[in-house]
Amino acid sequence: MKAWRHKSVIRLIEESNNNDPIDEIRNRARNLVLTALEKGWSGPPFNATQLSAYLGIDILPNDSVLDARLLSNTGKKTVIEYNPFQKPTRINFSVAHEIAHTFFSDFKDEMRNREEEPTENKELEQLCNIGASEIQLPYAIFSNDANSIEEITIENLIALATKYKASLESVFIRFVEVINQPCATMICTFKGNKIVIDYSKGSRSFDEIIPKNFVIPKDSKAYECSVPGWSARETVHWDFLNKKYDVYCIGISPLRRDNQPRVGILMTHKLHSTALQDKKIKIEFGDATKPRGNGIKVIAQVVNTSGGLGLGFGKSLSKNFPDVKSSLQQWHEDKKRFQLGSSQLVKISEDLYVFQMLAQKGLFEKNGEIPLKYSYLRTCLISLQNACEKLHASVHMPMIGAGQAKGDWNVIQGIIFDELVNKDIDVNIYVFPGKVPAIKNKSSLTLFDEQSTWRKEK
């Protein structure tokens, strides 16, 4: 575990009781994004300036600022100043970066400016860069788009960066965090006549170990990419690799502090198997109260703060399993336990459970906010993942949150994919025969049976 030294980072660790500040910043950014989506924030591209308005932060242009800075004094309004003459993608990232500074409780103690004392504040600024990437390329939504590209190539990553108005470097880093294929990215710097890896990250299914500070072999085409935007591609079998990989290289902007040329490297291995099909959300016609398959099964249900089961799925569930209704009533009476984001596991039999998730506030929209609370749904799904891991169980559910709760299924399925499927939990979604749900965009996060009437009726 890395020993963090910056005072703001140490304070974050102590306050959150989380020894991993990267994980903590990601969680705070994701909860912010999901809350903003409930209030109508939309994209891509996702406008960080608009997000600032939701947070009550004023945005002011100031051409004397290199990129952006955060100004805040106790009792006064927080202000982000930005340079209006920078590129739009740079402005968006810079504003998002300053928003990430507000994830630290001591952000009002002093002006936040990444150009001030860059070495001393390196840890803090790196964490804010992670937060900014999460804001620009939002959790759940970016997962859907990243996994929808037909082939992993530099051109397709550039297209993603353009769609989200994000830097290619940000897309490189976030892409491997969400992609359901074996690949890796490396951010490298030209140091004299060598290219050295500064940062690397592989996807969950990438099984190679990239050595720290690895020097790219001299015969690599990466050396042709010394100018931002210049690209090259090749197939390599470097010393640390167990097999050949396709490599895409592209010059990226140098850091302002040292102005050394940099290159981004995308490494991918094309699979010609159906193994990846297993890591998808499976949607079939059927009844979620009658889950299919072998082994232990958990039925997931979203409940609302009124404590009622409602109509439709909730009513059917209580009819089939009376314990579900009585357990919910008992839970509702316990005001300390019955809080948004909490959940409970109800045992029906030795191989069947119902997992109730309190992620809906009321029954109707209020002041433009939908009843479903994405951030609390995410919290509940994390708890569901833990429960299923212990039980060695699969998950079965209807299209939760997309009905009366007014949630966007494209966001919901992204959360399900990231918190369950990407953690090796088998997820099955059921829709009633003959009813084709209104899905805005086809997603590669889901898998439909080729013989299913879903395809025929669609």
Side-chain angles (χ1 to χ4, degrees):
M1 182 70 70
K2 177 179 177 178
W4 297 86
R5 293 181 173 82
H6 193 281
K7 61 180 181 179
S8 296
V9 181
I10 293 172
R11 185 168 175 176
L12 176 76
I13 292 171
E14 292 173 347
E15 291 175 346
S16 64
N17 199 29
N18 185 347
N19 289 326
D20 186 351
I22 294 176
D23 177 66
E24 184 63 27
I25 289 298
R26 282 202 176 110
N27 280 331
R28 295 187 181 201
R30 290 176 180 184
N31 286 334
L32 171 62
V33 163
L34 294 174
T35 301
L37 290 172
E38 295 163 11
K39 296 180 179 180
W41 193 48
S42 62
F46 289 90
N47 191 322
T49 300
Q50 186 183 36
L51 181 60
S52 299
Y54 285 131
L55 297 172
I57 299 174
D58 286 342
I59 304 291
L60 298 175
N62 183 345
D63 59 8
S64 68
V65 176
L66 186 58
D67 281 312
R69 65 184 181 187
L70 182 71
L71 304 173
S72 184
N73 294 310
T74 304
K76 295 184 179 180
K77 199 165 187 179
T78 302
V79 175
I80 293 176
E81 293 183 342
Y82 71 96
N83 189 325
F85 296 107
Q86 294 285 8
K87 293 180 180 179
T89 54
R90 187 72 184 177
I91 292 173
N92 203 33
F93 182 84
S94 296
V95 173
H97 177 97
E98 300 309 320
I99 290 173
H101 272 294
T102 67
F103 298 156
F104 296 86
S105 63
D106 61 351
F107 77 92
K108 292 185 178 182
D109 292 354
E110 57 188 274
M111 180 179 69
R112 301 294 193 182
N113 185 340
R114 75 182 95 169
E115 300 304 323
E116 296 287 335
E117 301 177 337
T119 302
E120 181 180 331
N121 292 323
K122 184 177 180 181
E123 290 182 348
L124 178 66
E125 300 305 325
Q126 285 177 336
L127 289 172
C128 288
N129 282 342
I130 291 170
S133 294
E134 290 278 351
I135 290 169
Q136 273 197 307
L137 307 165
Y139 163 83
I141 297 172
F142 183 69
S143 295
N144 199 355
D145 280 342
N147 283 283
S148 294
I149 64 174
E150 294 182 359
E151 185 179 4
I152 299 177
T153 64
I154 195 66
E155 290 81 9
N156 283 331
L157 263 66
I158 290 172
L160 280 175
T162 302
K163 181 177 182 178
Y164 281 81
K165 288 190 177 178
S167 70
L168 187 57
E169 184 174 350
S170 294
V171 171
F172 259 55
I173 294 170
R174 287 284 286 129
F175 183 78
V176 293
E177 293 174 350
V178 303
I179 191 67
N180 187 25
Q181 294 185 47
C183 64
T185 56
M186 290 154 266
I187 305 298
C188 314
T189 301
F190 282 81
K191 296 182 179 180
N193 61 352
K194 298 178 181 179
I195 297 179
V196 181
I197 296 177
D198 293 325
Y199 173 87
S200 66
K201 188 172 182 65
S203 64
R204 283 173 56 85
S205 55
F206 185 78
D207 56 6
E208 308 280 6
I209 298 175
I210 302 173
K212 189 175 181 180
N213 298 320
F214 179 77
V215 177
I216 304 300
K218 280 287 187 179
D219 60 352
S220 171
K221 290 191 175 183
Y223 287 86
E224 299 175 7
C225 303
S226 58
V227 177
W230 287 15
S231 64
R233 64 200 69 201
E234 60 185 330
T235 300
V236 304
H237 194 168
W238 292 337
D239 292 344
F240 65 88
L241 298 172
N242 293 314
K243 50 183 171 282
K244 290 183 178 181
Y245 284 84
D246 292 331
V247 162
Y248 301 86
C249 311
I250 188 166
I252 57 178
S253 299
L255 297 174
R256 294 180 185 277
R257 293 190 295 274
D258 53 30
N259 207 34
Q260 294 296 316
R262 295 195 302 156
V263 60
I265 297 176
L266 171 66
M267 179 177 286
T268 179
H269 178 66
K270 295 179 176 60
L271 283 185
H272 300 285
S273 74
T274 58
L276 292 175
Q277 298 299 311
D278 295 333
K279 294 200 69 175
K280 292 183 183 290
I281 301 168
K282 302 176 186 70
I283 299 184
E284 289 286 359
F285 280 113
D287 184 351
T289 67
K290 299 178 176 62
R292 309 170 194 166
N294 301 318
I296 298 173
K297 296 175 279 292
V298 176
I299 300 173
Q301 175 197 18
V302 169
V303 297
N304 63 69
T305 50
S306 68
L309 283 166
L311 303 174
F313 179 67
K315 185 177 181 180
S316 178
L317 197 62
S318 63
K319 183 179 179 180
N320 283 281
F321 311 114
D323 286 350
V324 170
K325 183 175 182 179
S326 59
S327 294
L328 178 59
Q329 289 173 339
Q330 291 174 17
W331 185 24
H332 182 246
E333 291 171 1
D334 187 346
K335 300 304 179 185
K336 290 184 178 180
R337 289 181 56 241
F338 196 73
Q339 301 288 332
L340 280 166
S342 60
S343 54
Q344 70 169 3
L345 186 67
V346 181
K347 185 175 182 178
I348 305 299
S349 66
E350 290 301 319
D351 61 356
L352 183 63
Y353 295 78
V354 171
F355 192 83
Q356 296 179 318
M357 305 179 289
L358 184 50
Q360 180 180 334
K361 187 176 182 180
L363 300 173
F364 307 103
E365 290 187 55
K366 188 175 182 180
N367 299 324
E369 290 189 33
I370 60 173
L372 183 69
K373 301 304 172 187
Y374 294 124
S375 57
Y376 291 120
L377 176 62
R378 175 180 179 245
T379 300
C380 292
L381 289 174
I382 291 172
S383 298
L384 174 58
Q385 185 268 329
N386 291 330
C388 289
E389 195 172 63
K390 292 176 182 177
L391 291 169
H392 302 288
S394 57
V395 172
H396 304 259
M397 64 177 88
M399 294 179 70
I400 57 170
Q404 189 177 30
K406 302 297 183 184
D408 182 342
W409 177 247
N410 293 293
V411 176
I412 296 167
Q413 71 178 351
I415 302 174
I416 292 171
F417 181 82
D418 283 341
E419 301 302 345
L420 296 179
V421 179
N422 221 14
K423 305 289 175 60
D424 300 320
I425 302 298
D426 184 34
V427 176
N428 303 270
I429 308 289
Y430 300 89
V431 293
F432 281 116
K435 290 188 177 181
V436 179
I439 299 176
K440 295 179 183 177
N441 302 308
K442 181 182 177 183
S443 171
S444 69
L445 301 185
T446 56
L447 176 67
F448 304 108
D449 188 331
E450 292 293 340
Q451 304 303 317
S452 172
T453 51
W454 169 278
R455 287 190 179 275
K456 295 175 184 177
E457 296 191 20
K458 196 171 181 181

